């Protein structure tokens, strides 16, 4: 009665969403700040003024949204925390935004370089279907975003998991060696999750130059806005580069389900073909309106990213003073452990005090916690708890 392919499915397990009591929720890498007020205004306006459009199918290609995303990337250079914000309100809303030093994109990102989808997980699904075959292994780090193996099982794609180095950084040389052996594609998150470390743009450039030219090279930039280096400038050099990004982290939009690809128009067209073979209308009308409004208030999101980065760095300093081992972070979370204290025990002790953090039972990282950076008040409450462990 059940299809044979079901045996290969091992579903992704998200951060817990308990309902037994209110918790400070620092376990899912969500943004602690709400979307810009311009988003609420746009959604309310759409519901009132254009309510009939909710009875009609949305723009299947999300053209206005893609144009807004391209404009936003050109404004900030693809790294919100590093962008310069001038004028506007105190929270950055309405401000003028320009790329930070080293982040300016040396060409104009155009709408035909964008694919917009229903969350980056759906986007990743289409990327897996479009570019990875079952006749050769996909090369990825042993510890990275745990949805990659889920999709590999879904599409019957073998994996070649390369261990991280002893300092938890991605082993670039070994990944390239394995990819060249089998003429395979490479995928990883940069900065990586759950380890919070990132590669520089130059390091990724050297990887792509040495990787198989006839295979797609995928960089997942879900967290880059919090202080990494975006690979978008490399698109002028490499037509096989696919960059996946999301509204869920730096754009305060996990509940909106918006994600996108930045790549060459040719590869974007291939992803669009996959989309049109599954769901011609993936991004609904209201989500498109919310996404467009978000992209038009870049200054607000740049200030949110800066606030998260500030709280993150202060929290890392605090943990190290208290004897915790903490990796450097370019993300909106920290990856840490304390000698003599198991990850399971520390997770449960923190949960008992009304705060949720993420613990993985995965061998090799089972003693670590992944802790999302929250507001100043949330982090103060967490510091109080962790100082007793």
């Amino acid at each position: 009665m059940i299809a044979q392919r079901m045996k290969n499915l091992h579903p992704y397990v998200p951060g817990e969403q308990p309902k037994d009591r209110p918790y400070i929720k620092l376990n899912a890498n969500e943004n602690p700040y709400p979307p810009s007020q311009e988003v609420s205004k746009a959604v309310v306006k759409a519901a009132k003024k254009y309510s009939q459009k909710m009875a009609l199918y949305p723009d299947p290609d999300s053209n206005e949204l893609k144009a807004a995303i391209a404009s936003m990337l050109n404004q900030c250079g693809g790294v919100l925390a590093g962008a310069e914000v001038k004028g506007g309100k105190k929270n950055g809303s309405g401000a003028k935004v320009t790329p930070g030093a080293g982040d300016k994109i040396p060409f104009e990102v155009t709408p035909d370089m964008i694919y917009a989808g229903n969350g980056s997980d759906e986007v990743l699904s289409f990327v897996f279907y479009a570019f990875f075959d079952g006749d050769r292994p996909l090369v990825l780090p042993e510890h990275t975003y745990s949805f990659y193996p889920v999709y590999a099982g879904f599409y019957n794609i073998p994996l070649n998991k390369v261990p991280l180095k002893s300092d938890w950084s991605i082993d670039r040389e070994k990944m390239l060696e394995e990819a060249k052996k089998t003429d395979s594609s490479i995928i990883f998150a940069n900065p990586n999750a759950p380890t919070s470390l990132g590669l520089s743009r130059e390091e990724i450039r050297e990887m792509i130059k040495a990787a198989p030219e006839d295979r797609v090279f995928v960089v997942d930039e879900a967290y880059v806005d919090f202080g990494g280096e975006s690979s978008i400038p490399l698109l002028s050099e490499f037509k096989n580069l696919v960059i996946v990004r999301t509204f869920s982290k730096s754009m305060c939009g996990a509940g909106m389900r918006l994600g996108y690809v930045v790549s060459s128009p040719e590869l974007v067209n291939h992803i669009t073909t996959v989309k049109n073979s599954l769901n011609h209308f993936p991004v609904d009308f209201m989500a498109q309106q919310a996404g467009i409004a978000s992209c038009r208030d870049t200054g607000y999101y740049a200030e949110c990213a800066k606030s998260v980065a500030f709280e993150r760095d202060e929290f890392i300093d605090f943990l190290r003073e208290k004897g915790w081992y903490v990796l450097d972070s370019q993300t909106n979370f920290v990856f840490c452990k304390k000698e003599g204290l198991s990850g399971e025990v520390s997770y449960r002790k923190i949960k008992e005090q009304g705060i949720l953090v993420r613990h993985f039972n995965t061998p090799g990282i089972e003693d670590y916690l992944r802790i999302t950076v929250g507001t100043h008040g949330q982090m103060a409450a967490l510091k109080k708890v962790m100082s007793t462990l």
Side-chain angles (χ1 to χ4, degrees):
M1 187 166 66
I2 304 300
Q4 187 71 18
R5 68 177 72 91
M6 287 289 291
K7 293 182 178 180
N8 291 327
L9 294 188
H10 302 282
Y12 174 76
V13 179
E16 61 185 310
Q17 309 272 350
K19 300 176 181 178
D20 58 316
R21 59 180 281 194
Y23 286 91
I24 294 176
K25 196 167 180 296
L26 303 177
N27 66 331
N29 290 349
E30 297 149 317
N31 201 301
Y33 302 107
S36 161
Q37 290 186 0
E38 296 305 311
V39 175
S40 300
K41 292 176 184 177
V43 170
V44 170
K45 179 181 178 180
K48 290 182 176 179
K49 192 173 181 179
Y50 306 112
S51 60
Q52 178 60 26
K53 289 197 174 184
M54 286 187 281
L56 306 175
Y57 288 117
D59 174 5
D61 295 315
S62 305
N63 287 299
E64 191 176 357
L65 174 58
K66 291 195 296 185
I69 291 170
S71 177
M72 178 268 293
L73 293 174
N74 290 322
Q75 281 186 65
C76 71
V79 183
L80 286 168
E84 296 183 13
V85 182
K86 294 182 179 180
K89 299 179 182 179
K90 186 177 180 180
N91 64 1
S93 187
K96 179 182 178 181
V97 177
T98 54
D103 287 328
K104 182 175 174 55
I105 300 170
F107 56 87
E108 181 182 0
V109 177
T110 52
D112 61 351
M113 297 174 65
I114 306 294
Y115 169 81
N118 189 20
S120 65
D121 289 335
E122 181 192 77
V123 170
L124 281 165
S125 173
F126 295 165
V127 167
F128 268 66
Y129 189 92
F131 304 122
F132 306 150
D133 291 317
D135 63 347
R136 70 196 69 216
L138 172 63
V139 177
L140 72 168
E142 178 183 11
H143 299 296
T144 188
Y145 184 31
S146 51
F147 223 132
Y148 303 156
V150 174
Y151 283 137
F154 193 85
Y155 294 119
N156 291 318
I157 299 165
L159 295 179
N160 184 347
K161 298 181 181 181
V162 177
L164 298 176
K165 291 183 177 180
S166 59
D167 63 358
W168 295 101
S169 63
I170 288 175
D171 192 333
R172 294 176 289 135
E173 294 77 11
K174 184 63 175 176
M175 288 184 69
L176 288 169
E177 177 185 331
E178 295 299 316
K180 286 187 280 190
K181 280 181 184 177
T182 51
D183 192 31
S184 295
S185 288
I186 289 174
I187 186 172
F188 58 90
N190 190 59
N192 195 31
T195 56
S196 73
L197 301 176
L199 297 176
S200 70
R201 186 180 304 119
E202 184 57 33
E203 287 173 322
I204 292 178
R205 173 187 278 115
E206 293 305 313
M207 281 189 75
I208 302 174
K209 285 170 60 177
E213 295 181 5
D214 59 340
R215 296 295 164 189
V216 163
F217 191 105
V218 182
V219 180
D220 185 346
E221 292 191 344
Y223 300 101
V224 74
D225 274 322
F226 298 104
E229 290 189 17
S230 176
S231 293
I232 292 175
L234 302 180
L235 289 169
S236 61
E237 301 176 51
F238 305 106
K239 300 306 179 185
N240 64 331
L241 173 60
V242 172
I243 299 168
V244 179
R245 296 176 61 115
T246 180
F247 278 67
S248 296
K249 313 302 179 185
S250 58
M251 299 295 282
C252 312
M256 291 191 298
R257 309 313 305 132
L258 288 172
Y260 60 100
V261 159
V262 193
S263 188
S264 68
E266 179 184 1
L267 296 187
V268 166
N269 285 338
H270 288 309
I271 298 170
T272 303
T273 296
V274 176
K275 180 265 290 186
N276 287 336
S277 302
L278 179 68
N279 178 6
H280 194 49
F281 304 99
V283 183
D284 69 70
F285 170 68
M286 297 302 285
Q288 289 189 39
Q289 301 310 303
I292 292 164
S294 295
C295 291
R296 290 176 178 170
D297 199 8
T298 310
Y300 173 81
Y301 294 100
E303 288 299 330
C304 287
K306 292 175 187 291
S307 295
V308 169
F310 178 81
E311 291 294 338
R312 175 198 67 209
D313 293 345
E314 281 213 329
F315 185 53
I316 289 174
D317 290 342
F318 165 83
L319 288 177
R320 288 173 175 167
E321 288 174 2
K322 296 298 181 180
W324 288 74
Y325 173 72
V326 192
L327 272 65
D328 292 333
S329 176
Q330 295 177 318
T331 65
N332 69 333
F333 61 88
V334 300
F335 193 60
C336 60
K337 72 172 183 177
K338 193 167 190 179
E339 196 67 34
L341 190 64
S342 75
E344 176 73 20
V345 169
S346 53
Y347 152 76
R348 294 200 176 280
K349 286 183 177 292
I350 294 170
K351 183 178 179 180
E352 288 170 2
Q353 299 304 312
I355 303 175
L356 292 177
V357 298
R358 191 75 189 267
H359 170 251
F360 299 91
N361 287 316
T362 309
I365 60 172
E366 66 272 18
D367 283 334
Y368 283 80
L369 298 178
R370 192 200 68 190
I371 303 175
T372 305
V373 177
T375 63
H376 182 74
Q378 290 172 332
M379 301 312 291
L382 179 60
K383 288 175 184 177
K384 186 176 180 180
V385 173
M386 294 187 74
S387 63
T388 65
L389 298 179

